[in-house]
């Protein structure tokens, strides 16, 4: 067969063939309010995929190859596997239906075959990325000229880039060491000139106990290692304990240990907790002033960044804009398709400490003058992932234009209202035996975590995990019951999917509280959906879980 059947060659083709494919893929979503949602088994999925792969007509060497039939049959895998979830009742993770605008924008990005490395490669998309940066800086309160914001693959590479920059800036400004050039091997080698001349200390990165697992990756990637993450315990609201932060800063041996950076969270992954960033920043800056340290302040707002567009958190913009760097993921609360993360730096010149050049790209970042002139047209020179699809840029840009930042804020507020209603409904549940304990009865964002506590443990509560005493037997038995609840919703035809989380108290796994985790990020979820879930939960607990029939 010729390649004409597989490549567009500048022509989109007949729209009808795409329409049929999308109708097949989303057929069950047309009746999604009544469609069951369940997780297909690995065996079932493997069988469906194997059947698809072994059909002889699915080979490029076959002259009867049909693009439409090929894609339609592949789309049917999702339908047959029961993976056409009702998005109104998918509460498991920070996932939602993407907007129609986001989906179409992603298709445009795919068709453009662009690479977001520089303007030379993708001139239109590079310009759009700068526009996206303006929207994000406006959202977060940053100065348009001094700050810079751009799209990344996601929150993890944004966090790594932020602290790689923070590491280099901190050592350059305080110790006068250019880590971009010499790295840690030369810096800590007793045989090097740098080691002899500088009073060098071991770097410490301070994070909340609720830190995302990307911070373990970051510690490894920037060369400090996981053992040098200082984990600050949580309050009973699962926010960073600022008293403990002060204690940890004061306990550092400043002759041997360097507080390189402090990370706060605006919307933790497990429960959506928002750290007290105003008091936290004040504490760190006061410590800097007293000690002469240069501490990089980073805000991990991958999930909760857009919450500053709501009435509840609008006051935080004046604090957020003072962070050295902020991570925010449009593929979460901007509802654009994956992958679309972002990173914002307060001082764009800081990125020169991580910049690099490619001989085949006509942009020079080698000195400060050229850097200032070429940075925004050669973002691949500072991004952790140089080659990146343009789809994230286009979908984020069109979302900002179509909804406006105010519209996005109003949509997020709808999800906050749903979470508050959900938490209140769970707290009002009365069971014949045991109770529902809500971990965050007043949700910071739109996540609600809860657990079933059987009657014999009626005096056990989350507060016991914060300085109290909960025996491992009690904790394990409560966990076992809630594992069954999660499993029930995953395997039944209830129409709901939930997840679980180990809620951090001090950062250690053996002190985590196991809870059912729900994320109500779809703005079209209704109170009827929530009431239906609470009813299904109560029925299962009373009929099966308590009676031992599950």
């Amino acid at each position: 067969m010729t390649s004409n059947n597989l490549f567009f060659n500048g022509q989109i083709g007949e729209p009808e063939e795409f329409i049929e494919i999308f109708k097949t893929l989303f057929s069950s979503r047309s009746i999604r309010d009544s469609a069951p949602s369940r997780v297909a088994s690995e065996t079932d999925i493997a069988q469906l995929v194997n059947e698809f792969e072994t059909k002889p007509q699915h080979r490029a060497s076959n002259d009867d190859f049909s693009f439409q039939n090929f894609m339609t049959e592949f789309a049917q895998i999702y339908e047959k596997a029961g993976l056409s979830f009702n998005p109104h009742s998918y509460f498991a993770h920070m996932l939602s239906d993407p907007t129609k605008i986001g989906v179409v924008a992603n298709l445009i990005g795919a068709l453009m075959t662009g690479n977001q490395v520089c303007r030379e490669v993708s001139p239109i998309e590079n310009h759009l990325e700068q526009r996206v940066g303006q929207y994000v800086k406006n959202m977060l309160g940053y100065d348009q000229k001094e700050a810079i914001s751009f799209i990344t693959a996601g929150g993890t590479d944004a966090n790594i880039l932020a602290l790689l920059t923070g590491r280099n800036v901190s050592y350059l400004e305080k110790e006068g060491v250019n880590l971009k050039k010499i790295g840690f091997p030369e810096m800590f080698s007793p045989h090097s000139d740098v080691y002899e001349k500088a009073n060098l200390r071991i770097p410490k990165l301070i994070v909340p106990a609720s830190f995302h697992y990307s911070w373990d990756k970051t510690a490894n990637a920037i060369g400090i290692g996981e053992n040098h993450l200082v984990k600050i315990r949580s309050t009973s609201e699962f926010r960073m304990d600022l008293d403990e932060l002060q204690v940890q800063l004061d306990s550092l041996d400043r002759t041997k240990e360097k507080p390189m950076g402090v990370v706060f969270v605006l919307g933790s992954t497990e429960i959506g907790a928002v750290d007290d960033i105003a008091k936290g920043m004040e504490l760190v800056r006061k410590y800097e002033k007293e000690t002469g340290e240069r501490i990089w302040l980073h805000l991990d707002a991958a999930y909760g960044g857009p919450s500053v567009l709501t009435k509840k958190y609008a006051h935080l913009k004046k604090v957020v804009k003072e962070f050295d760097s902020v991570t925010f993921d449009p593929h979460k609360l901007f509802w654009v398709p994956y992958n679309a993360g972002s990173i914002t730096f307060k001082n764009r010149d800081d990125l020169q400490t991580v910049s690099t050049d490619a001989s085949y790209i006509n942009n020079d970042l080698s000195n400060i003058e050229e850097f200032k002139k070429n940075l925004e047209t050669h973002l691949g020179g500072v991004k952790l992932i140089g080659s990146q699809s343009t789809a994230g840029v286009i979908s984020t840009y069109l979302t900002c234009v179509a909804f406006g930042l105010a519209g996005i804020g109003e949509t997020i507020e709808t999800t906050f209202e749903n979470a508050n209603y959900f938490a209140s409904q769970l707290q009002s549940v009365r069971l014949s035996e045991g109770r529902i304990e809500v971990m965050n009865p007043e949700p910071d964002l739109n996540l609600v975590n809860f657990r079933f506590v059987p009657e014999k443990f009626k005096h056990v509560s989350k507060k016991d995990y914060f300085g109290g005493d909960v025996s491992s037997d009690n904790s394990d038995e409560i966990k076992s019951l809630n594992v069954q609840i999660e499993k029930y919703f995953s395997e039944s035809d209830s129409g709901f999917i939930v997840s679980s989380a180990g809620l951090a108290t001090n950062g250690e796994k053996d002190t985590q509280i196991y809870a059912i985790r729900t994320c109500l990020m779809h703005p079209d979820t209704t109170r009827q959906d929530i009431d239906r879930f609470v009813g299904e939960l109560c029925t299962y607990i009373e009929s099966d879980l308590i009676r031992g029939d599950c």
Side-chain angles (χ1 to χ4, degrees), residues 310-312 409-425 443-448 520 523 525-527 530:
T310 67
K311 296 175 183 177
K312 182 176 182 180
E410 291 171 2
T411 307
I412 294 172
E413 284 179 342
T414 299
T415 70
F416 286 3
E417 292 168 3
N418 281 338
N420 285 320
Y421 178 75
F422 188 29
S424 68
Q425 292 301 99
D444 285 356
L445 298 180
N446 51 23
L447 281 82
V448 178
L520 283 77
T525 296
T526 66
R527 291 193 172 190
I530 294 169

PDB file of all heavy atoms in Angstrom, residues 310-312 409-425 443-448 520 523 525-527 530:
ATOM      1  N   THR A 310     -10.508  33.113  42.335  1.00  0.00           N
ATOM      2  CA  THR A 310     -11.777  33.038  43.059  1.00  0.00           C
ATOM      3  C   THR A 310     -11.831  34.095  44.153  1.00  0.00           C
ATOM      4  O   THR A 310     -10.808  34.629  44.579  1.00  0.00           O
ATOM      5  CB  THR A 310     -11.961  31.648  43.701  1.00  0.00           C
ATOM      6  OG1 THR A 310     -10.980  31.477  44.744  1.00  0.00           O
ATOM      7  CG2 THR A 310     -11.790  30.545  42.673  1.00  0.00           C
ATOM      8  N   LYS A 311     -13.035  34.372  44.607  1.00  0.00           N
ATOM      9  CA  LYS A 311     -13.205  35.351  45.687  1.00  0.00           C
ATOM     10  C   LYS A 311     -12.512  34.875  46.961  1.00  0.00           C
ATOM     11  O   LYS A 311     -11.974  35.681  47.725  1.00  0.00           O
ATOM     12  CB  LYS A 311     -14.702  35.573  45.955  1.00  0.00           C
ATOM     13  CG  LYS A 311     -15.447  36.200  44.777  1.00  0.00           C
ATOM     14  CD  LYS A 311     -16.943  36.267  45.061  1.00  0.00           C
ATOM     15  CE  LYS A 311     -17.703  36.832  43.856  1.00  0.00           C
ATOM     16  NZ  LYS A 311     -19.181  36.833  44.085  1.00  0.00           N
ATOM     17  N   LYS A 312     -12.519  33.577  47.179  1.00  0.00           N
ATOM     18  CA  LYS A 312     -11.957  33.011  48.407  1.00  0.00           C
ATOM     19  C   LYS A 312     -10.466  33.258  48.526  1.00  0.00           C
ATOM     20  O   LYS A 312      -9.948  33.507  49.624  1.00  0.00           O
ATOM     21  CB  LYS A 312     -12.254  31.507  48.455  1.00  0.00           C
ATOM     22  CG  LYS A 312     -11.767  30.808  49.708  1.00  0.00           C
ATOM     23  CD  LYS A 312     -12.191  29.342  49.705  1.00  0.00           C
ATOM     24  CE  LYS A 312     -11.747  28.629  50.975  1.00  0.00           C
ATOM     25  NZ  LYS A 312     -12.162  27.202  50.982  1.00  0.00           N
ATOM     26  N   GLY A 409     -12.254  31.601  36.916  1.00  0.00           N
ATOM     27  CA  GLY A 409     -12.440  31.735  38.361  1.00  0.00           C
ATOM     28  C   GLY A 409     -13.850  31.388  38.795  1.00  0.00           C
ATOM     29  O   GLY A 409     -14.058  30.679  39.795  1.00  0.00           O
ATOM     30  N   GLU A 410     -14.843  31.854  38.054  1.00  0.00           N
ATOM     31  CA  GLU A 410     -16.238  31.560  38.381  1.00  0.00           C
ATOM     32  C   GLU A 410     -16.522  30.064  38.267  1.00  0.00           C
ATOM     33  O   GLU A 410     -17.262  29.495  39.077  1.00  0.00           O
ATOM     34  CB  GLU A 410     -17.165  32.341  37.450  1.00  0.00           C
ATOM     35  CG  GLU A 410     -17.142  33.853  37.697  1.00  0.00           C
ATOM     36  CD  GLU A 410     -17.901  34.620  36.625  1.00  0.00           C
ATOM     37  OE1 GLU A 410     -18.473  33.963  35.723  1.00  0.00           O
ATOM     38  OE2 GLU A 410     -17.910  35.867  36.673  1.00  0.00           O
ATOM     39  N   THR A 411     -15.928  29.419  37.266  1.00  0.00           N
ATOM     40  CA  THR A 411     -16.128  27.981  37.087  1.00  0.00           C
ATOM     41  C   THR A 411     -15.517  27.204  38.241  1.00  0.00           C
ATOM     42  O   THR A 411     -16.106  26.230  38.738  1.00  0.00           O
ATOM     43  CB  THR A 411     -15.512  27.526  35.754  1.00  0.00           C
ATOM     44  OG1 THR A 411     -16.029  28.333  34.691  1.00  0.00           O
ATOM     45  CG2 THR A 411     -15.833  26.070  35.471  1.00  0.00           C
ATOM     46  N   ILE A 412     -14.346  27.619  38.685  1.00  0.00           N
ATOM     47  CA  ILE A 412     -13.699  26.954  39.823  1.00  0.00           C
ATOM     48  C   ILE A 412     -14.536  27.118  41.084  1.00  0.00           C
ATOM     49  O   ILE A 412     -14.655  26.190  41.900  1.00  0.00           O
ATOM     50  CB  ILE A 412     -12.278  27.509  40.032  1.00  0.00           C
ATOM     51  CG1 ILE A 412     -11.391  27.132  38.845  1.00  0.00           C
ATOM     52  CG2 ILE A 412     -11.670  26.981  41.328  1.00  0.00           C
ATOM     53  CD1 ILE A 412     -10.028  27.795  38.855  1.00  0.00           C
ATOM     54  N   GLU A 413     -15.137  28.285  41.261  1.00  0.00           N
ATOM     55  CA  GLU A 413     -15.970  28.508  42.449  1.00  0.00           C
ATOM     56  C   GLU A 413     -17.141  27.521  42.499  1.00  0.00           C
ATOM     57  O   GLU A 413     -17.559  27.095  43.590  1.00  0.00           O
ATOM     58  CB  GLU A 413     -16.482  29.945  42.464  1.00  0.00           C
ATOM     59  CG  GLU A 413     -15.401  30.949  42.876  1.00  0.00           C
ATOM     60  CD  GLU A 413     -15.888  32.389  42.881  1.00  0.00           C
ATOM     61  OE1 GLU A 413     -16.933  32.652  42.255  1.00  0.00           O
ATOM     62  OE2 GLU A 413     -15.232  33.231  43.510  1.00  0.00           O
ATOM     63  N   THR A 414     -17.657  27.137  41.341  1.00  0.00           N
ATOM     64  CA  THR A 414     -18.717  26.130  41.291  1.00  0.00           C
ATOM     65  C   THR A 414     -18.239  24.816  41.892  1.00  0.00           C
ATOM     66  O   THR A 414     -18.982  24.157  42.637  1.00  0.00           O
ATOM     67  CB  THR A 414     -19.170  25.894  39.832  1.00  0.00           C
ATOM     68  OG1 THR A 414     -19.685  27.108  39.300  1.00  0.00           O
ATOM     69  CG2 THR A 414     -20.235  24.815  39.753  1.00  0.00           C
ATOM     70  N   THR A 415     -17.004  24.438  41.583  1.00  0.00           N
ATOM     71  CA  THR A 415     -16.468  23.179  42.132  1.00  0.00           C
ATOM     72  C   THR A 415     -16.228  23.306  43.636  1.00  0.00           C
ATOM     73  O   THR A 415     -16.359  22.329  44.372  1.00  0.00           O
ATOM     74  CB  THR A 415     -15.169  22.765  41.421  1.00  0.00           C
ATOM     75  OG1 THR A 415     -14.097  23.655  41.769  1.00  0.00           O
ATOM     76  CG2 THR A 415     -15.347  22.764  39.913  1.00  0.00           C
ATOM     77  N   PHE A 416     -15.858  24.493  44.117  1.00  0.00           N
ATOM     78  CA  PHE A 416     -15.707  24.713  45.562  1.00  0.00           C
ATOM     79  C   PHE A 416     -17.046  24.501  46.271  1.00  0.00           C
ATOM     80  O   PHE A 416     -17.119  23.878  47.341  1.00  0.00           O
ATOM     81  CB  PHE A 416     -15.219  26.133  45.845  1.00  0.00           C
ATOM     82  CG  PHE A 416     -13.768  26.381  45.533  1.00  0.00           C
ATOM     83  CD1 PHE A 416     -12.964  25.405  44.981  1.00  0.00           C
ATOM     84  CD2 PHE A 416     -13.198  27.614  45.810  1.00  0.00           C
ATOM     85  CE1 PHE A 416     -11.626  25.643  44.694  1.00  0.00           C
ATOM     86  CE2 PHE A 416     -11.864  27.871  45.538  1.00  0.00           C
ATOM     87  CZ  PHE A 416     -11.078  26.887  44.982  1.00  0.00           C
ATOM     88  N   GLU A 417     -18.112  25.048  45.682  1.00  0.00           N
ATOM     89  CA  GLU A 417     -19.446  24.904  46.275  1.00  0.00           C
ATOM     90  C   GLU A 417     -19.842  23.435  46.342  1.00  0.00           C
ATOM     91  O   GLU A 417     -20.429  22.987  47.341  1.00  0.00           O
ATOM     92  CB  GLU A 417     -20.462  25.702  45.452  1.00  0.00           C
ATOM     93  CG  GLU A 417     -20.263  27.214  45.535  1.00  0.00           C
ATOM     94  CD  GLU A 417     -21.082  27.965  44.490  1.00  0.00           C
ATOM     95  OE1 GLU A 417     -21.847  27.306  43.739  1.00  0.00           O
ATOM     96  OE2 GLU A 417     -20.952  29.201  44.416  1.00  0.00           O
ATOM     97  N   ASN A 418     -19.531  22.672  45.296  1.00  0.00           N
ATOM     98  CA  ASN A 418     -19.842  21.244  45.303  1.00  0.00           C
ATOM     99  C   ASN A 418     -19.095  20.518  46.417  1.00  0.00           C
ATOM    100  O   ASN A 418     -19.650  19.647  47.092  1.00  0.00           O
ATOM    101  CB  ASN A 418     -19.486  20.621  43.959  1.00  0.00           C
ATOM    102  CG  ASN A 418     -20.526  20.893  42.890  1.00  0.00           C
ATOM    103  OD1 ASN A 418     -21.681  21.187  43.199  1.00  0.00           O
ATOM    104  ND2 ASN A 418     -20.127  20.806  41.628  1.00  0.00           N
ATOM    105  N   ALA A 419     -17.814  20.857  46.589  1.00  0.00           N
ATOM    106  CA  ALA A 419     -17.018  20.199  47.629  1.00  0.00           C
ATOM    107  C   ALA A 419     -17.566  20.505  49.022  1.00  0.00           C
ATOM    108  O   ALA A 419     -17.634  19.617  49.883  1.00  0.00           O
ATOM    109  CB  ALA A 419     -15.561  20.639  47.527  1.00  0.00           C
ATOM    110  N   ASN A 420     -17.956  21.743  49.257  1.00  0.00           N
ATOM    111  CA  ASN A 420     -18.521  22.107  50.555  1.00  0.00           C
ATOM    112  C   ASN A 420     -19.826  21.364  50.807  1.00  0.00           C
ATOM    113  O   ASN A 420     -20.083  20.878  51.927  1.00  0.00           O
ATOM    114  CB  ASN A 420     -18.755  23.624  50.621  1.00  0.00           C
ATOM    115  CG  ASN A 420     -17.469  24.401  50.800  1.00  0.00           C
ATOM    116  OD1 ASN A 420     -16.584  23.993  51.540  1.00  0.00           O
ATOM    117  ND2 ASN A 420     -17.347  25.526  50.124  1.00  0.00           N
ATOM    118  N   TYR A 421     -20.651  21.268  49.779  1.00  0.00           N
ATOM    119  CA  TYR A 421     -21.911  20.539  49.917  1.00  0.00           C
ATOM    120  C   TYR A 421     -21.639  19.059  50.186  1.00  0.00           C
ATOM    121  O   TYR A 421     -22.285  18.444  51.058  1.00  0.00           O
ATOM    122  CB  TYR A 421     -22.738  20.691  48.645  1.00  0.00           C
ATOM    123  CG  TYR A 421     -24.035  19.924  48.672  1.00  0.00           C
ATOM    124  CD1 TYR A 421     -25.120  20.376  49.425  1.00  0.00           C
ATOM    125  CD2 TYR A 421     -24.180  18.742  47.939  1.00  0.00           C
ATOM    126  CE1 TYR A 421     -26.315  19.664  49.455  1.00  0.00           C
ATOM    127  CE2 TYR A 421     -25.370  18.023  47.965  1.00  0.00           C
ATOM    128  CZ  TYR A 421     -26.438  18.485  48.727  1.00  0.00           C
ATOM    129  OH  TYR A 421     -27.606  17.778  48.761  1.00  0.00           O
ATOM    130  N   PHE A 422     -20.688  18.488  49.471  1.00  0.00           N
ATOM    131  CA  PHE A 422     -20.343  17.072  49.646  1.00  0.00           C
ATOM    132  C   PHE A 422     -19.874  16.809  51.074  1.00  0.00           C
ATOM    133  O   PHE A 422     -20.312  15.857  51.724  1.00  0.00           O
ATOM    134  CB  PHE A 422     -19.263  16.707  48.635  1.00  0.00           C
ATOM    135  CG  PHE A 422     -18.930  15.241  48.569  1.00  0.00           C
ATOM    136  CD1 PHE A 422     -19.867  14.270  48.865  1.00  0.00           C
ATOM    137  CD2 PHE A 422     -17.665  14.831  48.173  1.00  0.00           C
ATOM    138  CE1 PHE A 422     -19.560  12.924  48.780  1.00  0.00           C
ATOM    139  CE2 PHE A 422     -17.339  13.485  48.090  1.00  0.00           C
ATOM    140  CZ  PHE A 422     -18.298  12.531  48.398  1.00  0.00           C
ATOM    141  N   ALA A 423     -18.989  17.666  51.588  1.00  0.00           N
ATOM    142  CA  ALA A 423     -18.471  17.487  52.946  1.00  0.00           C
ATOM    143  C   ALA A 423     -19.597  17.566  53.974  1.00  0.00           C
ATOM    144  O   ALA A 423     -19.649  16.778  54.931  1.00  0.00           O
ATOM    145  CB  ALA A 423     -17.405  18.534  53.239  1.00  0.00           C
ATOM    146  N   SER A 424     -20.517  18.500  53.780  1.00  0.00           N
ATOM    147  CA  SER A 424     -21.628  18.649  54.736  1.00  0.00           C
ATOM    148  C   SER A 424     -22.555  17.442  54.682  1.00  0.00           C
ATOM    149  O   SER A 424     -23.064  17.000  55.729  1.00  0.00           O
ATOM    150  CB  SER A 424     -22.401  19.938  54.462  1.00  0.00           C
ATOM    151  OG  SER A 424     -23.089  19.864  53.219  1.00  0.00           O
ATOM    152  N   GLN A 425     -22.790  16.907  53.487  1.00  0.00           N
ATOM    153  CA  GLN A 425     -23.650  15.730  53.361  1.00  0.00           C
ATOM    154  C   GLN A 425     -23.024  14.514  54.021  1.00  0.00           C
ATOM    155  O   GLN A 425     -23.709  13.721  54.674  1.00  0.00           O
ATOM    156  CB  GLN A 425     -23.951  15.443  51.883  1.00  0.00           C
ATOM    157  CG  GLN A 425     -24.822  16.486  51.200  1.00  0.00           C
ATOM    158  CD  GLN A 425     -26.172  16.637  51.870  1.00  0.00           C
ATOM    159  OE1 GLN A 425     -26.374  17.559  52.674  1.00  0.00           O
ATOM    160  NE2 GLN A 425     -27.090  15.739  51.572  1.00  0.00           N
ATOM    161  N   PRO A 443     -13.380  22.108  53.161  1.00  0.00           N
ATOM    162  CA  PRO A 443     -12.343  21.909  52.141  1.00  0.00           C
ATOM    163  C   PRO A 443     -11.684  23.215  51.727  1.00  0.00           C
ATOM    164  O   PRO A 443     -12.357  24.230  51.532  1.00  0.00           O
ATOM    165  CB  PRO A 443     -13.125  21.296  50.969  1.00  0.00           C
ATOM    166  CG  PRO A 443     -14.372  20.745  51.574  1.00  0.00           C
ATOM    167  CD  PRO A 443     -14.710  21.623  52.720  1.00  0.00           C
ATOM    168  N   ASP A 444     -10.355  23.167  51.582  1.00  0.00           N
ATOM    169  CA  ASP A 444      -9.640  24.347  51.086  1.00  0.00           C
ATOM    170  C   ASP A 444      -9.967  24.588  49.617  1.00  0.00           C
ATOM    171  O   ASP A 444     -10.153  25.725  49.191  1.00  0.00           O
ATOM    172  CB  ASP A 444      -8.127  24.167  51.256  1.00  0.00           C
ATOM    173  CG  ASP A 444      -7.685  24.323  52.701  1.00  0.00           C
ATOM    174  OD1 ASP A 444      -8.535  24.649  53.549  1.00  0.00           O
ATOM    175  OD2 ASP A 444      -6.482  24.120  52.985  1.00  0.00           O
ATOM    176  N   LEU A 445     -10.001  23.494  48.841  1.00  0.00           N
ATOM    177  CA  LEU A 445     -10.296  23.606  47.411  1.00  0.00           C
ATOM    178  C   LEU A 445     -11.502  22.728  47.090  1.00  0.00           C
ATOM    179  O   LEU A 445     -12.539  22.890  47.693  1.00  0.00           O
ATOM    180  CB  LEU A 445      -9.066  23.229  46.577  1.00  0.00           C
ATOM    181  CG  LEU A 445      -7.815  24.105  46.773  1.00  0.00           C
ATOM    182  CD1 LEU A 445      -6.676  23.620  45.898  1.00  0.00           C
ATOM    183  CD2 LEU A 445      -8.118  25.561  46.490  1.00  0.00           C
ATOM    184  N   ASN A 446     -11.347  21.789  46.147  1.00  0.00           N
ATOM    185  CA  ASN A 446     -12.488  20.954  45.753  1.00  0.00           C
ATOM    186  C   ASN A 446     -12.226  19.467  45.956  1.00  0.00           C
ATOM    187  O   ASN A 446     -12.805  18.631  45.267  1.00  0.00           O
ATOM    188  CB  ASN A 446     -12.904  21.246  44.302  1.00  0.00           C
ATOM    189  CG  ASN A 446     -11.728  21.196  43.342  1.00  0.00           C
ATOM    190  OD1 ASN A 446     -10.707  20.564  43.620  1.00  0.00           O
ATOM    191  ND2 ASN A 446     -11.849  21.864  42.203  1.00  0.00           N
ATOM    192  N   LEU A 447     -11.338  19.125  46.878  1.00  0.00           N
ATOM    193  CA  LEU A 447     -11.105  17.736  47.254  1.00  0.00           C
ATOM    194  C   LEU A 447     -11.705  17.485  48.631  1.00  0.00           C
ATOM    195  O   LEU A 447     -11.597  18.339  49.530  1.00  0.00           O
ATOM    196  CB  LEU A 447      -9.616  17.394  47.291  1.00  0.00           C
ATOM    197  CG  LEU A 447      -8.933  17.134  45.945  1.00  0.00           C
ATOM    198  CD1 LEU A 447      -8.544  18.449  45.288  1.00  0.00           C
ATOM    199  CD2 LEU A 447      -7.700  16.258  46.125  1.00  0.00           C
ATOM    200  N   VAL A 448     -12.323  16.317  48.796  1.00  0.00           N
ATOM    201  CA  VAL A 448     -12.891  15.916  50.080  1.00  0.00           C
ATOM    202  C   VAL A 448     -12.410  14.499  50.383  1.00  0.00           C
ATOM    203  O   VAL A 448     -12.562  13.604  49.550  1.00  0.00           O
ATOM    204  CB  VAL A 448     -14.434  15.948  50.060  1.00  0.00           C
ATOM    205  CG1 VAL A 448     -14.989  15.485  51.409  1.00  0.00           C
ATOM    206  CG2 VAL A 448     -14.939  17.349  49.723  1.00  0.00           C
ATOM    207  N   LEU A 520     -13.653  16.724  43.202  1.00  0.00           N
ATOM    208  CA  LEU A 520     -14.847  17.182  42.495  1.00  0.00           C
ATOM    209  C   LEU A 520     -14.480  18.354  41.585  1.00  0.00           C
ATOM    210  O   LEU A 520     -14.908  19.493  41.797  1.00  0.00           O
ATOM    211  CB  LEU A 520     -15.939  17.593  43.492  1.00  0.00           C
ATOM    212  CG  LEU A 520     -16.700  16.432  44.144  1.00  0.00           C
ATOM    213  CD1 LEU A 520     -15.863  15.776  45.231  1.00  0.00           C
ATOM    214  CD2 LEU A 520     -18.014  16.919  44.728  1.00  0.00           C
ATOM    215  N   PRO A 523     -16.985  20.874  36.717  1.00  0.00           N
ATOM    216  CA  PRO A 523     -17.950  21.919  37.080  1.00  0.00           C
ATOM    217  C   PRO A 523     -19.401  21.532  36.826  1.00  0.00           C
ATOM    218  O   PRO A 523     -20.309  22.175  37.365  1.00  0.00           O
ATOM    219  CB  PRO A 523     -17.545  23.108  36.197  1.00  0.00           C
ATOM    220  CG  PRO A 523     -16.774  22.505  35.064  1.00  0.00           C
ATOM    221  CD  PRO A 523     -16.097  21.307  35.621  1.00  0.00           C
ATOM    222  N   THR A 525     -20.714  18.591  37.679  1.00  0.00           N
ATOM    223  CA  THR A 525     -21.211  17.696  38.724  1.00  0.00           C
ATOM    224  C   THR A 525     -22.316  18.416  39.488  1.00  0.00           C
ATOM    225  O   THR A 525     -22.169  19.588  39.850  1.00  0.00           O
ATOM    226  CB  THR A 525     -20.078  17.298  39.685  1.00  0.00           C
ATOM    227  OG1 THR A 525     -19.103  16.539  38.971  1.00  0.00           O
ATOM    228  CG2 THR A 525     -20.598  16.461  40.840  1.00  0.00           C
ATOM    229  N   THR A 526     -23.411  17.730  39.742  1.00  0.00           N
ATOM    230  CA  THR A 526     -24.565  18.353  40.389  1.00  0.00           C
ATOM    231  C   THR A 526     -24.731  17.848  41.823  1.00  0.00           C
ATOM    232  O   THR A 526     -24.125  16.844  42.218  1.00  0.00           O
ATOM    233  CB  THR A 526     -25.847  18.047  39.610  1.00  0.00           C
ATOM    234  OG1 THR A 526     -26.115  16.634  39.685  1.00  0.00           O
ATOM    235  CG2 THR A 526     -25.712  18.471  38.150  1.00  0.00           C
ATOM    236  N   ARG A 527     -25.579  18.516  42.565  1.00  0.00           N
ATOM    237  CA  ARG A 527     -25.890  18.049  43.916  1.00  0.00           C
ATOM    238  C   ARG A 527     -26.619  16.713  43.870  1.00  0.00           C
ATOM    239  O   ARG A 527     -26.500  15.902  44.797  1.00  0.00           O
ATOM    240  CB  ARG A 527     -26.726  19.103  44.659  1.00  0.00           C
ATOM    241  CG  ARG A 527     -25.927  20.366  44.976  1.00  0.00           C
ATOM    242  CD  ARG A 527     -26.621  21.259  45.970  1.00  0.00           C
ATOM    243  NE  ARG A 527     -25.739  22.352  46.384  1.00  0.00           N
ATOM    244  CZ  ARG A 527     -25.992  23.189  47.380  1.00  0.00           C
ATOM    245  NH1 ARG A 527     -27.118  23.064  48.071  1.00  0.00           N
ATOM    246  NH2 ARG A 527     -25.138  24.136  47.696  1.00  0.00           N
ATOM    247  N   ILE A 530     -23.994  14.135  43.789  1.00  0.00           N
ATOM    248  CA  ILE A 530     -23.401  13.979  45.126  1.00  0.00           C
ATOM    249  C   ILE A 530     -24.336  13.204  46.045  1.00  0.00           C
ATOM    250  O   ILE A 530     -23.910  12.288  46.772  1.00  0.00           O
ATOM    251  CB  ILE A 530     -23.066  15.368  45.709  1.00  0.00           C
ATOM    252  CG1 ILE A 530     -21.954  16.024  44.882  1.00  0.00           C
ATOM    253  CG2 ILE A 530     -22.657  15.260  47.178  1.00  0.00           C
ATOM    254  CD1 ILE A 530     -21.721  17.493  45.189  1.00  0.00           C
TER     255      ILE A 530
END
